[in-house]
Amino acid sequence: RLRVLVKAMDSIHEQMTGGSFSIELFQTDPGYKAIAQLIGADLAIKTVDLISQNVSPSPQSDIDVSLAPKFRKSDGKLDWSMQIDQILNQYRALAANPGVWTMLGDLRLKIDGLRISYGMKKIAPGSVVVEGEKLFIGAANGFIEIEKLTPAGRNQMSAGEFIRGLTKREGLSVG
């Protein structure tokens, strides 16, 4: 069991994914990176101060701990019978690694961008609706718009680019 001297908390906003959090924290946003560095520096100073005072670390609380087993590729398979917010959260958690995906017939589609969409008639879970250059998939309580995807063996593309390559646009379903 881990032993702890100091800790810090950070918040993750609603649209942030695991990948975007890592990028924001460690790579691109100078303001956020500076804040993270200050937090880290402050924790380092507090830790050194506590060690110099011979303060013993305390056991990490079981309340603040969550088991996080390694994700498998199969964890990214989308279940369209779930609620739209559950699908969005699965995407947010797994989009960067291992990725989220679904099957369109025999074709594996990695989903690289999606959003909850409103205003369309009810779509059965897993049913695909093409409207112009937009691709919608039904879920338990609504539907998801696919914005970007990567078909197996191909490069990432917009939903519109993918749709233009489809030979059949009706009666499609994913699973």
Side-chain angles (χ1 to χ4, degrees):
R1 192 157 130 176
L2 293 176
R3 300 184 62 76
V4 179
L5 280 170
V6 294
K7 65 180 179 178
M9 301 287 285
D10 198 358
S11 60
I12 299 174
H13 61 77
E14 190 172 301
Q15 296 303 315
M16 192 172 278
T17 65
S20 65
F21 179 73
S22 295
I23 289 168
E24 190 169 301
L25 183 57
F26 297 111
Q27 295 174 10
T28 58
D29 185 336
Y32 200 88
K33 186 175 181 180
I35 291 169
Q37 288 171 338
L38 288 173
I39 292 169
D42 184 53
L43 290 175
I45 291 167
K46 287 178 182 176
T47 301
V48 169
D49 186 43
L50 291 170
I51 291 170
S52 71
Q53 296 173 33
N54 293 320
V55 173
S56 295
S58 57
Q60 186 173 2
S61 168
D62 289 337
I63 295 169
D64 295 335
V65 174
S66 60
L67 177 63
K70 183 176 179 178
F71 288 117
R72 300 177 314 260
K73 191 174 276 192
S74 61
D75 294 326
K77 185 171 194 292
L78 293 172
D79 176 357
W80 297 100
S81 67
M82 293 191 324
Q83 304 286 314
I84 55 177
D85 59 332
Q86 292 173 300
I87 292 171
L88 178 63
N89 286 337
Q90 182 179 2
Y91 169 78
R92 289 177 58 215
L94 304 176
N97 186 23
V100 295
W101 56 278
T102 194
M103 297 296 293
L104 178 63
D106 292 334
L107 181 61
R108 184 175 183 272
L109 301 175
K110 180 176 179 275
I111 308 299
D112 300 311
L114 62 76
R115 68 184 185 96
I116 294 174
S117 194
Y118 301 96
M120 182 180 282
K121 62 183 190 298
K122 177 87 170 121
I123 304 173
S127 293
V128 177
V129 173
V130 174
E131 279 193 2
E133 297 214 342
K134 294 187 176 191
L135 182 67
F136 301 96
I137 301 176
N141 65 332
F143 51 94
I144 301 284
E145 180 181 353
I146 306 301
E147 298 176 310
K148 292 188 285 183
L149 61 143
T150 305
R154 308 267 312 275
N155 292 328
Q156 184 183 84
M157 60 185 72
S158 70
E161 291 168 318
F162 178 73
I163 291 166
R164 286 191 291 276
L166 288 175
T167 55
K168 178 181 172 186
R169 295 185 184 190
E170 293 186 17
L172 299 172
S173 63
V174 294

